[in-house]
Amino acid sequence: MSDRTINQQPHAPHQPSHGEAHGQPHGDLHGDPLGDRRNHTPHTHGHGSEPDDFAVQIADSVESFVLAVTEVAKGDEPGSAVSLLLLEVSQLLLAGGRLGAIEDVVPEDRFEPDAGPEPDGEQLRERLAALLAPIDVYHEVFDPYGPPEKPNAFRISDDLAGVVGELQHGLTHYREGRVSEALWWWQFSYLSNWGTTCSAVLRALQSLIAHVRLDSPIGAVPDGADTDDDGLTDEQLEQQAGDLMAAELGLGR
């Protein structure tokens, strides 16, 4: 499992206790437990209200991403996997940017309604890991504004499966007519986790394509990286990754 979900608690994916567990008050997105928004013009929806254009567009973007990643993970078209994921992550980040740019969404209920059991993302994670095996592990400095630190090892498969799970949580609310609840969750989880995660994954995917297009060798994996010791040398991992990307982009090596 990616260190992002283990060692970086403020950015952990959704669990029943996200600081605002099911059956507990929502509170403010920015840490105000009383949800004091006297200086804001909140984005609101009432129970049973029809979603406005903004809500429909965000929901469409979320659903499109979930469906696309699920289809890519089936492995039917491995040659286009990285390119498709690059497009889908880019488009999802546009929706996330829109969520981050608006005022705090204020849900109708003070308590988050139970959305039922969380979806099991293990099968999706395993399929993505098998599909992306030579290039799954990447490295990222977790917080560019934090204290200087060494890059951490993450997995694209872990990250994408986690993001899909978070988005599905909001989709459950949306499909059951709790529009404000869905928007609140997508906004909260974008700011607290999946925005950072998708930004890191986007950099990794863009870097892979750039390495091949610019004929720049992919560097060897640093000592101590989480690569699930599979008996391959750093040089072999590098060669596999380069060959995979060259084949995907239709380029000879």
Side-chain angles (χ1 to χ4, degrees):
M1 179 176 288
S2 167
D3 289 341
R4 185 189 306 283
T5 62
I6 297 175
N7 298 328
Q8 307 293 342
Q9 291 304 317
H11 292 261
H14 174 73
Q15 297 294 335
S17 58
H18 55 272
E20 317 235 313
H22 289 151
Q24 295 189 14
H26 283 287
D28 196 323
L29 294 179
H30 305 295
D32 178 0
L34 298 179
D36 184 359
R37 301 178 177 85
R38 287 171 295 182
N39 297 323
H40 294 179
T41 303
H43 194 97
T44 60
H45 286 84
H47 275 310
S49 63
E50 289 296 322
D52 58 20
D53 288 344
F54 177 82
V56 170
Q57 290 164 11
I58 296 298
D60 286 348
S61 296
V62 166
E63 187 163 24
S64 174
F65 179 84
V66 170
L67 291 174
V69 171
T70 302
E71 285 299 312
V72 169
K74 292 179 180 178
D76 294 336
E77 299 183 16
S80 59
V82 171
S83 299
L84 289 173
L85 291 175
L86 178 70
L87 289 172
E88 293 300 329
V89 173
S90 299
Q91 292 179 32
L92 180 65
L93 280 171
L94 174 58
R98 296 180 68 192
L99 286 165
I102 66 170
E103 298 289 354
D104 291 358
V105 176
V106 180
E108 182 73 10
D109 295 321
R110 178 173 172 77
F111 299 87
E112 181 182 7
D114 187 359
E118 296 294 326
D120 182 4
E122 191 58 30
Q123 184 180 57
L124 177 62
R125 189 187 315 276
E126 291 175 353
R127 286 181 172 179
L128 286 170
L131 180 66
L132 303 172
I135 53 174
D136 198 14
V137 176
Y138 70 99
H139 299 86
E140 178 79 2
V141 175
F142 187 74
D143 184 357
Y145 286 101
E149 60 184 55
K150 294 181 180 179
N152 293 316
F154 300 108
R155 289 184 176 275
I156 296 174
S157 56
D158 282 353
D159 289 344
L160 290 179
V163 170
V164 166
E166 290 189 330
L167 297 177
Q168 287 177 321
H169 182 83
L171 274 176
T172 298
H173 286 307
Y174 185 83
R175 289 166 177 166
E176 293 181 1
R178 298 188 291 267
V179 178
S180 65
E181 191 65 48
L183 288 175
W184 177 85
W185 170 250
W186 286 328
Q187 186 184 59
F188 173 86
S189 56
Y190 166 75
L191 295 172
S192 64
N193 186 53
W194 66 260
T196 300
T197 300
C198 284
S199 296
V201 170
L202 181 67
R203 281 176 50 81
L205 296 171
Q206 189 275 337
S207 179
L208 285 168
I209 290 178
H211 274 295
V212 173
R213 293 277 175 87
L214 301 178
D215 196 23
S216 173
I218 297 175
V221 179
D223 291 340
D226 173 21
T227 58
D228 287 346
D229 188 11
D230 49 15
L232 297 178
T233 66
D234 289 347
E235 291 74 16
Q236 288 171 321
L237 284 169
E238 176 183 345
Q239 183 64 39
Q240 275 196 11
D243 290 345
L244 178 64
M245 285 303 302
E248 175 172 328
L249 297 174
L251 301 176
R253 285 178 65 87

